[in-house]
Amino acid sequence: QVQLVESGGGLVQAGGSLRLSCAASGRTFSSYAMGWFRQAPGKEREFAAVISPSGRGTYYADSIKGRFAISRENAKNTVYLQMNSLKPEDTAVYYCAAGPRATSRQADFASWGQGTQVTVSS
């Protein structure tokens, strides 16, 4: 398994931007698909975005498509989530996760970070 630490969360006004980072330990980062999931208050955790091990494949939830962008730097063992045009409904704890394949299913991801809070004010 790989150890994951998220950062970059915070409080932002609606329409603003944030970039989340997720730093991974270990020498096999480039072999993992990386996903971002989020959990809003009172709701279940849901899929947001995923990127393939090479970075050539990405997939997004409809709710964030066109506003958020996932990317990775394998040389730095880091995956990012650039969030633009933020809305109050984007308020959630954001988690990164590592798994063997780029899917939207939480069960396919074995390693998880502790999460970072994103709060969007109206």
Side-chain angles (χ1 to χ4, degrees), residues 34-58:
M34 298 298 297
W36 284 99
F37 296 79
R38 65 184 186 179
Q39 186 169 20
K43 296 186 177 181
E44 294 187 351
R45 189 164 59 187
E46 64 178 12
F47 167 75
V50 66
I51 189 167
S52 64
S54 68
R56 287 192 287 269
T58 58

Side-chain angles (χ1 to χ4, degrees), residues 24-39:
S25 64
R27 295 175 291 179
T28 58
F29 176 76
S30 61
S31 67
Y32 290 99
M34 298 298 297
W36 284 99
F37 296 79
R38 65 184 186 179
Q39 186 169 20

